[in-house]
Amino acid sequence: MALRISARRICTASNSIVLSATRTPASKRNATAMAVPTSSSPESIGHNIFKEASLANPDPSADSSTAALVNRYSPYMVATYVRPQPVMVKGEGCYIWDMENRRYLDFTAGIAVNALGHCDPEMAKLIGQQARTLVHASNLYHNAWTGELSKLLVTKTRESGAMKDAAKVFVCNSGSEANEAAIKFARKVGKVRDPSGEKFELVSFQNSFHGRTLGSLSATPNPKYQKPFAPMIPGFKYGLYNDEAALKGLITEKTCGVIVEPIQGEGGVMVANSSFLQALRDRCNEVGAVLVYDEIQCGLSRTGSFWAHGLLPASAHPDILTTAKALGNGFPIGATMVTEEIAQCIVTGDHGTTFGGNPLGCRLAHYIVSRLSESQLQQEVLEKEKIFRKGFKKLQVMYPDLITEVRGRGLILGVQLTQDPTPIITAARERGLLVITAGTNTLRFVPPLIVTEDEIEEGLNILGEAMKAVMVAPDAISGTKGQQEMAPPGR
């Protein structure tokens, strides 16, 4: 392994220590090493020598160039996230590098965003072409790509067997905005269907995550995140996910809309029962409520079908479908797809966006949707799921007191643990693997959909090493906080 420690500084601290930078097989997960300052004290130097010799990707030390950069800019940044020390500077495929030139296998994909991996070559080419042509002209004028993307989304959705009545699309900039539009559209439909104004209630479910804007946060029943901004938008009611028996009392004649994730990503990779989604559709039909499927994290082929609900019968399809994340593969873009009946209720001035639908974002998304809708890619996702599950099963046999369950579909998978997973997050990162958490004590795996079999095996091997390290010395590795959008208290 190439030790990232300045030999001059080590010799200054102790003339008896002589190190030469050499490679071992474990260092194959790393790019070329660079000398990185560690600590000014001999004791700290000795500790870091041992740590860096033992780990493929030890986190940068307190006096590294990484720490200096973080400390330089932190005073100017609103502290909305808790981040581990590495500063990421480059990505390619399923790998990402930090500024110390450490390479990581990325099983987070920017939280289910980079479905085509980092820095897809064709995407980079299109960015350059469109940036030299037209980036933004506002929605006061037509452009060549908003309509093309909208048509492609509707066409591919229908061809896939999902959302049978998909008709029109509102293009925006993010998942929160897509859900905000869905909430507004549902409220407007309620006004049209009941001019008295009594049909205004919205229903969502416990452990859901629909966004950070006030409307989408009102649909996200987590007291920890709602309380600082209370009161929420009035009219929201919350039910238990997969509780069919409670739907009749939950969804009433006052309900204008119901929003649900077919797979709750942030909530712990919880999969909705098909019968639950069908019951939701049936109850919405009975009371004239709009059914919204939030597929921001689970859609666009992550489950092995174009949309997660695509395996449901047409009788369970939604009136509104929201998407973002993989839609831009890292470029900020979202979309809200609606049926013709919903579209007829929305008139000029009801909603809008300054940047949404810009030609640069839409051209990129057009390419990305074309790629993600390929049947071969979807079939490969299902094959890769099998490899992951086989590896998780082996780990469960090795650590039966740690792993209790594996959930999910395709390449949105959750491994349920009996303890805090954040030390494993740290141990995996320091060995060259990035994974994140979800729900309570759940490891979440949402790698790029282009991940190879060899990369999956590499990641599973590192995960096994990380679990072993934590189980052998449970108090020796600190947990990494902030590795999910809606974390439990204390994380």
Side-chain angles (χ1 to χ4, degrees), residues 56-130:
N57 290 44
D59 280 347
S61 60
D63 59 355
S64 65
S65 55
T66 293
L69 183 143
V70 170
N71 293 335
R72 186 183 311 137
Y73 296 126
S74 290
Y76 304 97
M77 301 169 63
V78 178
T80 52
Y81 283 87
V82 177
R83 300 177 176 94
Q85 194 75 343
V87 174
M88 304 306 180
V89 296
K90 175 187 174 183
E92 182 179 350
C94 294
Y95 293 91
I96 191 168
W97 285 259
D98 69 13
M99 66 179 290
E100 309 287 351
N101 211 24
R102 296 172 167 94
R103 189 179 78 162
Y104 304 83
L105 178 56
D106 185 6
F107 278 4
T108 76
I111 316 182
V113 168
N114 301 309
L116 297 179
H118 294 282
C119 301
D120 176 79
E122 183 64 19
M123 183 178 170
K125 177 182 174 182
L126 291 174
I127 288 174
Q129 289 179 352
Q130 192 61 41

Side-chain angles (χ1 to χ4, degrees), residues 206 220-228:
Q206 298 294 338
T220 303
N222 186 320
K224 176 182 175 182
Y225 293 94
Q226 288 187 345
K227 186 177 179 180

Side-chain angles (χ1 to χ4, degrees), residues 241-252:
Y241 198 64
N242 279 328
D243 185 357
E244 297 174 37
L247 294 182
K248 187 171 184 179
L250 183 67
I251 303 169
T252 70

Side-chain angles (χ1 to χ4, degrees), residues 44-321:
S44 296
I45 290 174
H47 170 75
N48 281 306
I49 291 172
F50 176 78
K51 180 180 180 183
E52 297 202 8
S54 303
L55 298 174
N57 290 44
D59 280 347
S61 60
D63 59 355
S64 65
S65 55
T66 293
L69 183 143
V70 170
N71 293 335
R72 186 183 311 137
Y73 296 126
S74 290
Y76 304 97
M77 301 169 63
V78 178
T80 52
Y81 283 87
V82 177
R83 300 177 176 94
Q85 194 75 343
V87 174
M88 304 306 180
V89 296
K90 175 187 174 183
E92 182 179 350
C94 294
Y95 293 91
I96 191 168
W97 285 259
D98 69 13
M99 66 179 290
E100 309 287 351
N101 211 24
R102 296 172 167 94
R103 189 179 78 162
Y104 304 83
L105 178 56
D106 185 6
F107 278 4
T108 76
I111 316 182
V113 168
N114 301 309
L116 297 179
H118 294 282
C119 301
D120 176 79
E122 183 64 19
M123 183 178 170
K125 177 182 174 182
L126 291 174
I127 288 174
Q129 289 179 352
Q130 192 61 41
R132 291 189 296 269
T133 305
L134 181 66
V135 173
H136 176 77
S138 89
N139 280 303
L140 300 178
Y141 311 101
H142 293 288
N143 73 69
W145 287 101
T146 309
E148 284 285 351
L149 173 60
S150 299
K151 178 183 178 182
L152 185 67
L153 278 169
V154 169
T155 301
K156 292 299 183 181
T157 295
R158 287 179 169 178
E159 287 178 355
S160 73
M163 196 176 175
K164 62 183 178 63
D165 294 324
K168 295 184 178 180
V169 177
F170 170 75
V171 183
C172 53
N173 307 287
S174 68
S176 286
E177 288 182 50
N179 281 338
E180 199 77 28
I183 290 167
K184 286 182 68 176
F185 292 172
R187 278 275 175 91
K188 180 64 187 297
V189 171
K191 302 289 187 187
V192 172
R193 293 179 177 174
D194 182 359
S196 73
E198 291 298 310
K199 198 173 188 64
F200 69 94
E201 292 183 348
L202 290 128
V203 170
S204 62
F205 296 91
Q206 298 294 338
N207 297 317
S208 63
F209 178 77
H210 298 292
R212 299 280 193 174
T213 56
L214 196 57
S216 58
L217 183 60
S218 297
T220 303
N222 186 320
K224 176 182 175 182
Y225 293 94
Q226 288 187 345
K227 186 177 179 180
F229 310 102
M232 293 291 102
I233 293 176
F236 277 86
K237 297 169 63 178
Y238 309 121
L240 294 178
Y241 198 64
N242 279 328
D243 185 357
E244 297 174 37
L247 294 182
K248 187 171 184 179
L250 183 67
I251 303 169
T252 70
E253 295 291 341
K254 289 187 175 183
T255 306
C256 68
V258 176
I259 184 168
V260 65
E261 300 161 275
I263 299 178
Q264 291 184 332
E266 292 292 331
V269 193
M270 301 294 186
V271 181
N273 298 329
S274 297
S275 60
F276 174 68
L277 295 177
Q278 182 67 68
L280 272 181
R281 175 74 275 177
D282 293 342
R283 184 56 181 162
C284 285
N285 290 344
E286 291 171 1
V287 301
V290 172
L291 179 59
V292 182
Y293 283 170
D294 175 348
E295 294 216 22
I296 289 165
Q297 186 163 160
C298 64
L300 292 174
S301 296
R302 182 152 289 280
T303 62
S305 57
F306 191 50
W307 299 110
H309 77 273
L311 301 180
L312 297 174
S315 59
H317 287 183
D319 303 295
I320 300 178
L321 177 66

Side-chain angles (χ1 to χ4, degrees), residues 301-432:
S301 296
R302 182 152 289 280
T303 62
S305 57
F306 191 50
W307 299 110
H309 77 273
L311 301 180
L312 297 174
S315 59
H317 287 183
D319 303 295
I320 300 178
L321 177 66
T322 59
T323 183
K325 287 192 178 285
L327 184 61
N329 205 63
F331 190 91
I333 186 170
T336 307
M337 189 155 33
V338 301
T339 64
E340 184 63 38
E341 183 179 2
I342 302 301
Q344 290 297 321
C345 296
I346 309 302
V347 299
T348 302
D350 278 348
H351 199 49
T353 171
T354 297
F355 298 108
N358 67 77
L360 176 57
C362 288
R363 185 176 183 186
L364 294 175
H366 188 277
Y367 158 70
I368 293 159
V369 170
S370 297
R371 284 279 307 276
L372 296 181
S373 60
E374 294 174 355
S375 59
Q376 181 176 345
L377 179 143
Q378 293 164 0
Q379 184 57 45
E380 289 172 354
V381 166
L382 297 176
E383 293 301 317
K384 293 166 186 177
E385 176 190 1
K386 295 177 183 178
I387 301 171
F388 267 108
R389 286 187 176 274
K390 182 178 179 182
F392 293 151
K393 184 64 177 177
K394 289 182 179 179
L395 290 172
Q396 189 173 19
V397 171
M398 294 173 62
Y399 304 109
D401 295 330
L402 176 66
I403 300 174
T404 62
E405 183 185 10
V406 177
R407 298 186 294 268
R409 281 172 44 200
L411 292 179
I412 176 169
L413 297 169
V415 175
Q416 185 63 47
L417 306 184
T418 56
Q419 64 188 50
D420 177 12
T422 60
I424 294 173
I425 297 290
T426 301
R429 183 179 64 251
E430 293 200 310
R431 288 161 175 77

Side-chain angles (χ1 to χ4, degrees), residues 106-112 266 297 413 415 421 425 433-438 442-446 482-485:
D106 185 6
F107 278 4
T108 76
I111 316 182
E266 292 292 331
Q297 186 163 160
L413 297 169
V415 175
I425 297 290
L433 174 69
L434 300 181
V435 290
I436 52 178
T437 57
T442 305
L443 287 172
R444 179 175 23 162
F445 297 83
V446 282
Q483 297 300 286
Q484 65 192 77
E485 286 285 353

